[in-house]
Amino acid sequence: MSGPGLNVPLNDPRLPALRKLRPPAFLLLCVGSLNILLCLMALVAMLLGYRLLPAQGPEAAAQEPVTLPLLLTALGAIVSGVLTIWGALSAFSLRGWGLVVVGAVTAVFPLTPTCCLGAPFAAWMLWVLSMPEVKQHFS
């Protein structure tokens, strides 16, 4: 079996669990990477002076946008993306069942638009993780 994570022979008892975990783990890996990419693009846009939020009213057009809440949101989204990627990589290697659960849950945080993609994949991952035949193979 090729791909990221453990490469086990066909007679290994962990193979069915890995076959169930790899698709949602790969999709969560993609969601976490996209989350971080979007945040970094937003941070670069803020540094270049682009307005990420539209001005409201004539007096607001002259004011600079408040960047502290946007910076905190971007930082939180980057941490969420890192946890999602870490959880997906842990699922590939069947390590840290709790970390995989945390990674799946952080993919749903509504800090960036990727939460719309992350919700079904996280639900799929949590459903697979709840199976006793999968849970028993985590170290």
Side-chain angles (χ1 to χ4, degrees):
M1 180 176 218
S2 65
L6 295 175
N7 288 319
V8 297
L10 293 176
N11 59 356
D12 194 308
R14 299 174 293 176
L15 186 62
L18 281 172
R19 284 191 174 157
K20 290 178 184 176
L21 277 171
R22 280 190 175 169
F26 175 74
L27 292 170
L28 285 177
L29 184 68
C30 294
V31 166
S33 301
L34 185 60
N35 191 358
I36 292 173
L37 179 68
L38 284 174
C39 290
L40 292 177
M41 288 172 42
L43 288 174
V44 168
M46 284 192 312
L47 288 174
L48 293 176
Y50 290 102
R51 291 173 93 44
L52 299 178
L53 298 175
Q56 298 174 357
E59 65 278 349
Q63 297 176 355
E64 289 294 316
V66 178
T67 57
L68 184 61
L70 292 175
L71 287 173
L72 292 176
T73 302
L75 179 64
I78 288 173
V79 169
S80 173
V82 167
L83 285 172
T84 301
I85 291 171
W86 193 5
L89 293 175
S90 294
F92 283 132
S93 58
L94 291 174
R95 288 184 287 116
W97 184 85
L99 181 60
V100 179
V101 170
V102 168
V105 169
T106 57
V108 185
F109 286 171
L111 298 172
T112 63
T114 58
C115 70
C116 299
L117 287 173
F121 304 147
W124 184 12
M125 177 61 87
L126 292 173
W127 177 66
V128 170
L129 287 172
S130 70
M131 297 176 179
E133 63 270 16
V134 171
K135 193 173 183 179
Q136 74 181 5
H137 293 292
F138 275 88
S139 59

